[in-house]
Amino acid sequence: MGDTPGTGTGAEPALEEQIAAYQREFQDLDPQVEQIVSALSRLNRRMNVAYGRQTAELGITNADWEVLKALVLSGAPYRMGPSDLAKRLGLTPAAMTHRIDRMVAEGLVTRERDESNRVRVIVELTPAGREKWLEAMRLATVFEGDLLQDLSPAERTALGEALIRLLRRVEHAQPDAGGRLSDLD
Amino acid sequence: MGDTPGTGTGAEPALEEQIAAYQREFQDLDPQVEQIVSALSRLNRRMNVAYGRQTAELGITNADWEVLKALVLSGAPYRMGPSDLAKRLGLTPAAMTHRIDRMVAEGLVTRERDESNRVRVIVELTPAGREKWLEAMRLATVFEGDLLQDLSPAERTALGEALIRLLRRVEHAQPDAGGRLSDLD
DNA sequence: GATGTATTCTTCAGCGTCGAAATTTAGCTT
DNA sequence: AAGCTAAATTTCGACGCTGAAGAATACATC
């Protein structure tokens, strides 16, 4: 009945067990590196689950939330073309068409042709869409504050610093290459 | 023609710009918290792109790689049932059926019925599958070492420590609740 | 001003995933 | 041993995304 944590084939092993397994199966492994990488991945995953729950509470999907974010962060008057949105979110214009369809139906955005250039379409945030984003941000900031609660100001600074250094390194090493990037921050 | 980084609606703004946009649109925001969270998300995304390129080089998909990882980390004799694999990878048994179909066709795993309990199916890593995993690990560890290259041993320790602390916090706050977890480390 | 090319968006077919129903086998009860 | 319940896997229908083809508009060149 009880979970046998040591040998259980079920859900997720503790991080330490997993690293031990890596070392067992792959000799030239720096456990410290693996610890950092695995923790990063796992942490991100858990955070996405948490965000997903929060957006669900608000009656929207994570996909909706991403579009709202992109529009809000673009600044007033909160307008973008579908293909700009697609680039920003890391998906194809085809997918954006459908997302926008749905979000128009939900009243989060409007879609209209650009009269000055009728090939273009303008997606604009509605007040209701903006309000949804604000609600989501309120939930998210509470969660994020809670997440970092155990870290002192000095530790937060050090963590932010270290992450930015890693980010620079990976961005330097990857000259974009047109790869799809999925999610946004 | 040139990217106008300040106002460009294109791909991704620099992290600092994005945080400035957040502060502009949402007053009660701790920029330090947002920096950490955004850097985490962005870093993870870039890393996944990098892993995707590496697996593509080896002629497999990231989905294949995840299954190989789960099997290898389960330890010799590298066998698991489809539903255990599904739990471990955070997807439904239905999806596992199709993944296994593909991977059997690629020669990475075998599928056979368990003779002692004929409801069960046993998915077993082939030597070729194990070799693929090793190749992927070799590429991954090079990349990961490179990623952390700028951090001193003390900084690495501090980073790992901090990440684990965050992880504990988020795991404590989320009593699982059956949420699908997608990717693994 | 007509034609050709580029740009933007939408439509279409294919694939992977999910949720639920169906199928097969095991174990228990009477 | 016949039937009931539970467990593991596969099948089926729906949805979102991708890549490629199609449609509509703008811009340049002749």
Side-chain angles (χ1 to χ4, degrees):
Chain A
M1 256 182 197
D3 234 31
T4 336
T7 55
T9 47
E12 273 206 313
L15 194 61
E16 327 145 5
E17 289 174 26
Q18 171 146 324
I19 291 178
Y22 267 116
Q23 288 189 279
R24 178 171 33 93
E25 300 294 334
F26 191 81
Q27 266 63 37
D28 345 352
L29 186 76
D30 181 337
Q32 194 174 38
V33 170
E34 194 56 38
Q35 190 204 46
I36 291 173
V37 169
S38 287
L40 269 174
S41 163
R42 217 174 258 220
L43 182 56
N44 224 76
R45 216 169 337 127
R46 301 288 153 77
M47 289 175 63
N48 286 336
V49 170
Y51 290 136
R53 278 189 209 155
Q54 293 180 346
T55 50
E57 269 179 44
L58 298 177
I60 62 178
T61 66
N62 261 345
D64 291 338
W65 189 31
E66 286 172 15
V67 177
L68 296 179
K69 261 190 281 195
L71 282 169
V72 169
L73 293 183
S74 78
Y78 309 120
R79 295 184 192 181
M80 290 178 78
S83 49
D84 290 328
L85 275 170
K87 260 179 235 141
R88 187 76 189 67
L89 298 181
L91 35 83
T92 62
M96 275 312 308
T97 295
H98 300 308
R99 278 203 191 182
I100 294 168
D101 286 346
R102 185 163 27 82
M103 293 182 69
V104 167
E106 291 166 344
L108 299 172
V109 300
T110 59
R111 166 162 46 189
E112 53 183 275
R113 298 212 88 88
D114 181 346
E115 287 308 323
S116 71
N117 180 346
R118 300 187 42 75
V119 181
R120 287 201 164 119
V121 169
I122 298 178
V123 177
E124 180 171 338
L125 197 62
T126 63
R130 187 163 192 282
E131 186 51 42
K132 274 292 179 206
W133 180 79
L134 283 170
E135 287 173 29
M137 276 302 281
R138 284 186 211 111
L139 290 182
T141 51
V142 169
F143 166 70
E144 292 161 1
D146 204 60
L147 178 70
L148 295 181
Q149 158 181 322
D150 292 345
L151 265 53
S152 70
E155 287 171 320
R156 294 185 188 197
T157 305
L159 176 58
E161 244 289 323
L163 291 176
I164 295 221
R165 223 153 356 134
L166 297 189
L167 196 51
R168 269 198 240 296
R169 181 114 205 115
V170 82
E171 289 186 333
H172 179 268
Q174 286 181 193
D176 198 303
R180 296 249 159 265
L181 253 49
S182 68
D183 266 7
L184 38 82
D185 322 336
Chain B
M1 258 177 191
D3 234 32
T4 337
T7 55
T9 47
E12 274 205 313
L15 193 62
E16 329 145 4
E17 289 174 26
Q18 173 147 322
I19 292 179
Y22 267 116
Q23 287 189 278
R24 178 169 36 83
E25 300 294 333
F26 190 81
Q27 264 65 38
D28 345 352
L29 184 77
D30 182 336
Q32 194 173 38
V33 170
E34 193 56 38
Q35 191 205 43
I36 292 172
V37 170
S38 288
L40 268 174
S41 162
R42 217 175 259 221
L43 182 56
N44 225 74
R45 216 171 333 130
R46 299 288 153 75
M47 289 174 64
N48 285 336
V49 170
Y51 291 134
R53 278 188 207 155
Q54 294 180 346
T55 51
E57 269 179 44
L58 298 176
I60 63 177
T61 66
N62 260 346
D64 292 337
W65 189 30
E66 287 172 17
V67 177
L68 296 179
K69 262 190 282 196
L71 283 169
V72 169
L73 293 183
S74 78
Y78 309 122
R79 296 184 192 180
M80 292 178 77
S83 47
D84 290 330
L85 274 170
K87 261 180 234 140
R88 187 76 187 68
L89 298 182
L91 34 84
T92 61
M96 273 314 306
T97 295
H98 300 308
R99 278 202 190 182
I100 294 167
D101 286 345
R102 186 163 27 81
M103 292 181 70
V104 167
E106 292 166 344
L108 299 171
V109 301
T110 59
R111 165 164 45 190
E112 54 184 272
R113 299 212 86 89
D114 182 347
E115 287 308 324
S116 72
N117 180 343
R118 300 187 43 73
V119 182
R120 286 203 165 117
V121 169
I122 299 178
V123 177
E124 180 171 338
L125 198 60
T126 63
R130 186 162 195 283
E131 185 51 43
K132 274 292 179 204
W133 180 79
L134 283 170
E135 287 173 30
M137 278 301 282
R138 285 185 211 112
L139 290 182
T141 50
V142 169
F143 166 71
E144 291 162 0
D146 204 59
L147 179 69
L148 295 181
Q149 159 180 322
D150 292 345
L151 265 53
S152 71
E155 287 171 322
R156 294 185 188 196
T157 306
L159 176 58
E161 243 289 323
L163 291 176
I164 296 218
R165 216 138 17 119
L166 297 189
L167 197 51
R168 269 198 238 296
R169 181 114 205 114
V170 81
E171 288 186 335
H172 179 269
Q174 287 181 193
D176 199 301
R180 298 249 157 265
L181 253 50
S182 66
D183 266 5
L184 39 81
D185 322 333

